[in-house]
Amino acid sequence: MPDRIYLDHAATTPLRPEARAAMEEGFALWANPSSPHAEGRKARSLLEDARERVKVALGWDGEVIFTSGASEAAALALHHANAGARLVSTVEHDCVLQAAPDAERLPVCSDGSLDPEVLTEAVERERPLVAVQQINSETGNRQDLSAIAGIAHQAGGLVLADCAQGAGRYATPRCDMAIVSAHKFGGPIGIGALLVEDYAMLAPSGGQERGYRRGTENLPGVLGMAAALAACSDPYVAPEVLEPLDALAEECRKLGGTWLSDRLSDPTPYIRAIAMPSMSATAQVMRFDMAGIAVSQGSACSSGTMKTSRVLEAMQVEPEVAANTIRVSVGWNTTRAEVERFREVWLDLAGA
């Protein structure tokens, strides 16, 4: 049986060998970093060294609070930020919306960008916290965080950037806090971080991580995360790997399909949303799976619901297009041959 092709890196990406090796070191030297004995002090030294390496890799001058992943980082920021009203866009990841169920929802334009006029009006209140994804996990659209931060800061507010899909690929955007998830760039599952420009922006909530998080630090995971970040290259994926997708875009248009990147304000190359003209997304995911290719129907957190994507609905994408849209995402170990094979199967299913 031929090797399967994995094109769902936006959900999770395979563990890098550098991260695996670093984790093995962490397991061999494991002790509780908070313990005062020699073993604990050694673990603490490794933890703090990794923290500094994460800062350097992300270009972050502030503080780093290690968490169990993006969901905990989002909850930590949204529950404990020293700010007033919580404002979130309608296309945020489920973990952000669930962490702030009472937050005001900010609409986006049809190109996926946060509406600046709505944002300008919404921030006119006492020190709001604005939560926005750097890169949307379903469409690959990148928000203009610099402009968003400018509007929020002018009103005395704070910006929380969800960088789960951007860390390791793009520079950390201008923001006050940022969410990072290791398994999105080749680190282990179960480790992430909340980047905070200044601890004063956040109320303490536990005994570990300088008093801002409960629970023993995951030293092996932290070491794996730091190693994975260090292994990220620029560009994250070689341009030649992506060329078959660029070729497919034109073929998709000719066949009456929809290449969602055409509608986006700032599309990124690693996540592509594609609507086939004649087959539902659910059927496509099954057919691709039978052909040995893993793709998804929207975010992994909601792809099993069989419901129309709320992200595409918020962008006013036509229901018939949204119903036929799949997500293809590439990562650090994707090859050109794998992308070529996806293109061949897509065209076959579309009846080209």
Side-chain angles (χ1 to χ4, degrees):
M1 185 172 125
D3 292 339
R4 286 184 58 84
I5 295 172
Y6 184 76
L7 297 178
D8 195 19
H9 290 259
T12 192
T13 198
L15 188 67
R16 291 177 182 267
E18 297 90 346
R20 184 185 299 275
M23 291 180 71
E24 289 175 352
E25 176 190 5
F27 285 124
L29 298 173
W30 169 247
N32 191 320
S34 296
S35 298
H37 47 60
E39 289 81 1
R41 295 196 304 273
K42 174 64 174 178
R44 171 61 60 182
S45 177
L46 291 171
L47 182 75
E48 297 308 324
D49 176 70
R51 196 188 308 273
E52 292 304 314
R53 287 187 284 129
V54 166
K55 288 183 183 181
V56 170
L58 294 174
W60 185 254
D61 294 329
E63 309 296 343
V64 173
I65 300 171
F66 290 118
T67 66
S68 61
S71 294
E72 185 191 351
L76 187 61
L78 288 161
H79 293 171
H80 299 284
N82 289 319
R86 270 52 171 169
L87 311 176
V88 303
S89 88
T90 53
V91 295
E92 294 308 297
H93 190 275
D94 282 350
C95 75
V96 169
L97 299 181
Q98 291 166 3
D102 298 325
E104 180 178 345
R105 305 287 180 90
L106 304 177
V108 296
C109 302
S110 60
D111 61 6
S113 64
L114 188 61
D115 190 321
E117 293 184 5
V118 172
L119 176 62
T120 300
E121 182 178 346
V123 296
E124 291 300 324
R125 61 197 69 190
E126 185 181 354
R127 195 173 167 78
L129 174 67
V130 182
V132 183
Q133 260 186 330
Q134 179 188 23
I135 297 173
N136 187 267
S137 53
E138 291 192 33
T139 66
N141 191 55
R142 180 164 54 173
Q143 295 285 355
D144 186 348
L145 265 298
S146 180
I148 291 170
I151 294 172
H153 290 161
Q154 188 171 5
L158 302 176
V159 173
L160 169 65
D162 177 359
C163 299
Q165 299 292 347
R169 303 161 184 78
Y170 298 99
T172 305
R174 180 187 176 192
C175 59
D176 303 289
M177 303 181 195
I179 297 166
V180 178
S181 179
H183 75 99
K184 302 294 188 180
F185 50 76
I189 291 174
I191 188 69
L194 176 64
L195 314 185
V196 185
E197 187 176 273
D198 191 316
Y199 282 134
M201 296 177 174
L202 202 65
S205 58
Q208 311 299 335
E209 289 297 280
R210 274 76 165 177
Y212 288 87
R213 189 235 179 195
R214 295 183 176 90
T216 301
E217 293 95 341
N218 178 1
L219 178 61
V222 167
L223 295 179
M225 177 180 176
L229 271 175
C232 290
S233 59
D234 186 17
Y236 186 72
V237 175
E240 58 267 22
V241 171
L242 299 168
E243 288 173 356
L245 279 179
D246 297 330
L248 178 60
E250 185 59 32
E251 293 165 316
C252 172
R253 298 181 193 108
K254 289 180 179 178
L255 290 169
T258 302
W259 197 259
L260 265 292
S261 293
D262 294 340
R263 304 186 178 196
L264 303 180
S265 61
D266 188 7
T268 52
Y270 311 121
I271 300 175
R272 312 287 181 106
I274 311 167
M276 191 177 289
S278 57
M279 188 180 297
S280 72
T282 302
Q284 289 178 63
V285 170
M286 294 173 62
R287 295 286 292 274
F288 274 109
D289 194 41
M290 292 170 62
I293 303 174
V295 296
S296 67
Q297 181 180 356
S299 170
C301 298
S302 58
S303 60
T305 65
M306 303 302 182
K307 294 180 180 178
T308 302
S309 165
R310 59 171 177 76
V311 170
L312 299 183
E313 184 178 1
M315 291 172 54
Q316 301 96 51
V317 173
E318 300 88 340
E320 60 274 17
V321 172
N324 290 5
T325 299
I326 63 169
R327 179 185 69 181
V328 180
S329 48
V330 300
W332 66 271
N333 63 344
T334 303
T335 67
R336 182 187 175 100
E338 291 174 333
V339 181
E340 285 279 15
R341 176 58 182 157
F342 167 78
R343 173 173 168 263
E344 291 171 0
V345 174
W346 193 95
L347 290 171
D348 181 61
L349 293 178

